[in-house]
Amino acid sequence: MRPELCRPVARPIFRVVHEQPGRLRLRGRALAHPCLDLAYLQALLEALPGVDAARINPQAHSLIIRFDGSAGTRRRLLELLADLPADAYRPDAVREQAPDPFRVVVSAMLAIATPLLPLPARRLVSWALALPTLGKGLDTLVSDGLRIEVLDASAKLLSLLRGDYFTANAIGALLDLGEYVEATSEQHSTDLLKRLLTPQTETVWIERAGVETKAALAEVAPGDILICGPGELIPIDGCVHSGEAAVNQASLTGESLPVPVAPGSPVLSGSVIHEGHLRIRVEQIGAETSMARVNRFLETALRTHSKGEVRSTQLADRLVPLTFLTGLGVFALTRDLSRAASVLTVDYSCAIKLSNPVAVRANIFAASRAGVLFKGAQALENLDQVDTLVFDKTGTLTTGAMQVADLIPFHGLDEPGLLALAAGAEEHYEHPVARAVVAEAAARELALPAISQVDFVVAHGVSAYVDDQRVLVGSRHFLEEDEGIDCTSADGHADALHAQGKSLLYVARGGQLVGLIALIDRIRPEAEQALAALKTLGIQRTVVLTGDHRDAGRALARALPGIDEVCWELKPEEKAKTVQALREQGQRVAFLGDGVNDAPALISADVGIGMPQAADLAREAAQVLLLREDLQGLVAAMAIARHTQRVLRRCAQASIGINSATMALAVAGVLPPVVAASLHNGSTIGILSYAALDGRKEWSSTPLASAAAALAPLSAGDATAPPRAEADDADIT
């Protein structure tokens, strides 16, 4: 579809042609737009409060809506239809009609009754039933060339010309059954869209001026106090103001066990209170909440196609002429219309073309239940091809919860003074190191100095002014090379702390080094097991990139034997260059990070993976988002990607194998047209059912080791991992 044809209608015109209480029937020229995504439009309409169902007939340009009959709902419906969002128009728009089981039943009954009818009635009924298929086949031949619709029409036409009306009608009934199953599979995606677009709650209880008031969710504003009790869904992002509760976050993180929360704990929209009562201070509402962002990611994922899906569609289309030419060749050699009709009923394209999107969508949705968000089918396909995994150290392999371990003041400054000075400068900087310094100062109940002219230098440090003196807090590189401050007086202390695997903050005031702050970061308890599981899944090389000093990197490598290489003291652009260098070596690279400074590397990798608490920029740059604060989500993401490709291979092999065998028997004259059509459609239904149902596998409760072991045969060819590099030789930049 040419892009210029996919521009939205300037003002869609829908007019009400019939109205009853609670029911509207409208006509609109927008329904003829070739890029209008009918599934998305239906989901939008049914997501409106008060709307029960919407049914679209694009051929008749007709739209039927059942709703609660209120004037407000009617007004909102007409306002939506008068100004459809641009998202409703897509070059690959879904144009299939909703599944119609009535048509399947009627065509099956008429096929069974065909031999019982007198010949004139049999002929009339058979041609009447065939006309829609013949018309569709002719239209497809003229507009798109040889496609599956041409094969279907040819098979029915040959049977009609032979006077074999039962075969013609039976083929039609089988085609209707196959189309119903295919449409039902497509409908699954529409149902997911409905679930994502439908608001979960419309009214809430809020506290204003000490009084609990029931209000519409749309009226809630940041700063309000929201009151929630057992069984209620939390519709906003916020912080617990008072109360304690157990909160189920399964819809967001895949974690099945309720999480205890108390005053000060963050809570996310989409969570459900298992027990207890909470008063929550509202921070984010509407489109800015976690659930809204998750829904947008999922919505995009379900509506986009990967290169693999495009390739499977192209392959399926190329196989149609093969079937058609085989049928013509059989007829030319045998003059047997029945044998030619049998060949034409066998089509490779249905199962190959449809199993890919069905399996991909099912597994993307399964991944979301396991706490993993894939931003589209391409991300799922790309992750399957990854053989090298690159980690940013802080917040990925480590918890990111840095803790102040040592304070080394100089030049007459004491420990509380050093800590207060650094915390004042770092107070407004959202970084694990900054949070650790500020938290330590708060724990010691230190009063922080007044700070002005704060300037954040990404991945380097912070500059601020205290009492007209410039204060710098950051790495040695930042202070010494960028700001020209002599740090050699601290070398003895720095070497001893580095040897312990600690990270250092250098603090300067008035152009003079006034102290060191040493911090430690705990390794995630599941990290070693996760790295082993990833190796089992076919990851050949694991690389850790860090801005920390060499000794901290070496200490991590010693603690985690699954690490092959470590690169230290890297700037953000150097991390991106390292990732690019690995790709230039022919490796398929995934990068896992969580900070603003990780965004360049996330974009440079074949697949960028963001941690749950990643900065907004990192979340936007990532193709895959983990929603659970541990590495089990990473293993689940890799396992699901591998599993999906295995399902797709099985579907393709089954389709080609079964249809090739069926065609060979049809060419040999062993199978009559009805049997050939039954085998073809039966295999298509079976393959699509396997693709859809296999996506229901539960990954969220699968342990790391067993998830990897279950898919170990997929990576048998990659079983030999490269030897682990020594830390001294690790720097590959």
Side-chain angles (χ1 to χ4, degrees), residues 246-390:
V247 176
N248 188 329
Q249 300 178 346
S251 61
L252 279 169
T253 67
E255 179 60 55
S256 58
L257 295 177
V259 177
V261 296
S265 300
V267 289
L268 302 177
S269 63
S271 305
V272 177
I273 296 181
H274 183 69
E275 59 181 359
H277 289 79
L278 295 176
R279 295 170 71 245
I280 305 168
R281 185 175 299 278
V282 178
E283 295 177 348
Q284 302 285 353
I285 59 174
E288 301 304 317
T289 64
S290 300
M291 180 57 79
R293 290 195 296 266
V294 167
N295 287 355
R296 284 200 296 273
F297 291 145
L298 268 179
E299 177 195 324
T300 301
L302 292 168
R303 298 178 71 206
T304 56
H305 302 286
S306 67
K307 294 177 183 177
E309 289 182 80
V310 174
R311 287 194 300 269
S312 67
T313 299
Q314 293 172 342
L315 173 62
D317 289 339
R318 285 197 295 267
L319 289 173
V320 172
L322 174 64
T323 302
F324 194 81
L325 291 174
T326 303
L328 289 180
V330 167
F331 176 72
L333 294 173
T334 64
R335 300 295 175 182
D336 186 340
L337 286 174
S338 176
R339 188 180 297 191
S342 296
V343 172
L344 294 177
T345 60
V346 181
D347 170 49
Y348 293 90
S349 68
C350 289
I352 293 177
K353 183 183 294 186
L354 294 172
S355 62
N356 197 306
V358 168
V360 166
R361 291 168 186 171
N363 279 280
I364 283 177
F365 203 66
S368 72
R369 295 197 303 268
V372 180
L373 284 181
F374 286 95
K375 292 186 183 178
Q378 191 60 50
L380 189 68
E381 183 177 318
N382 289 348
L383 188 60
D384 172 65
Q385 300 169 2
V386 165
D387 55 26
T388 299
L389 196 54
V390 180

Side-chain angles (χ1 to χ4, degrees), residues 150-219:
V150 180
L151 290 183
D152 296 340
S154 300
K156 292 196 74 170
L157 181 60
L158 290 180
S159 297
L160 290 170
L161 293 175
R162 290 178 58 245
D164 190 349
Y165 300 116
F166 171 73
T167 296
N169 294 338
I171 291 174
L174 290 168
L175 290 174
D176 288 340
L177 176 61
E179 289 177 1
Y180 174 75
V181 172
E182 294 164 9
T184 302
S185 299
E186 288 290 339
Q187 186 70 31
H188 180 63
S189 293
T190 304
D191 293 339
L192 296 182
L193 282 175
K194 291 178 192 174
R195 191 180 310 174
L196 297 176
L197 294 172
T198 301
Q200 300 296 315
T201 185
E202 296 179 32
T203 59
V204 294
W205 287 93
I206 59 176
E207 181 182 299
R208 287 176 177 166
V211 178
E212 294 186 14
T213 306
K214 191 172 185 179
L217 180 60
E219 299 174 3

Side-chain angles (χ1 to χ4, degrees), residues 35 58 61 96 110 142 203 205 243 298 356-357 415 433 450 503 528 553 691 693:
C35 293
H61 301 176
E96 290 84 356
L110 288 174
V142 172
T203 59
W205 287 93
L298 268 179
N356 197 306
E415 289 189 4
V433 171
S503 300
E528 183 173 354
L693 295 175

Side-chain angles (χ1 to χ4, degrees), residues 629-651:
E629 198 54 69
D630 62 49
L631 293 175
Q632 179 159 339
L634 177 61
V635 177
M638 186 65 67
I640 291 170
R642 300 281 201 250
H643 176 75
T644 303
Q645 297 308 311
R646 179 170 65 179
V647 170
L648 295 179
R649 284 194 294 271
R650 285 178 174 175
C651 289

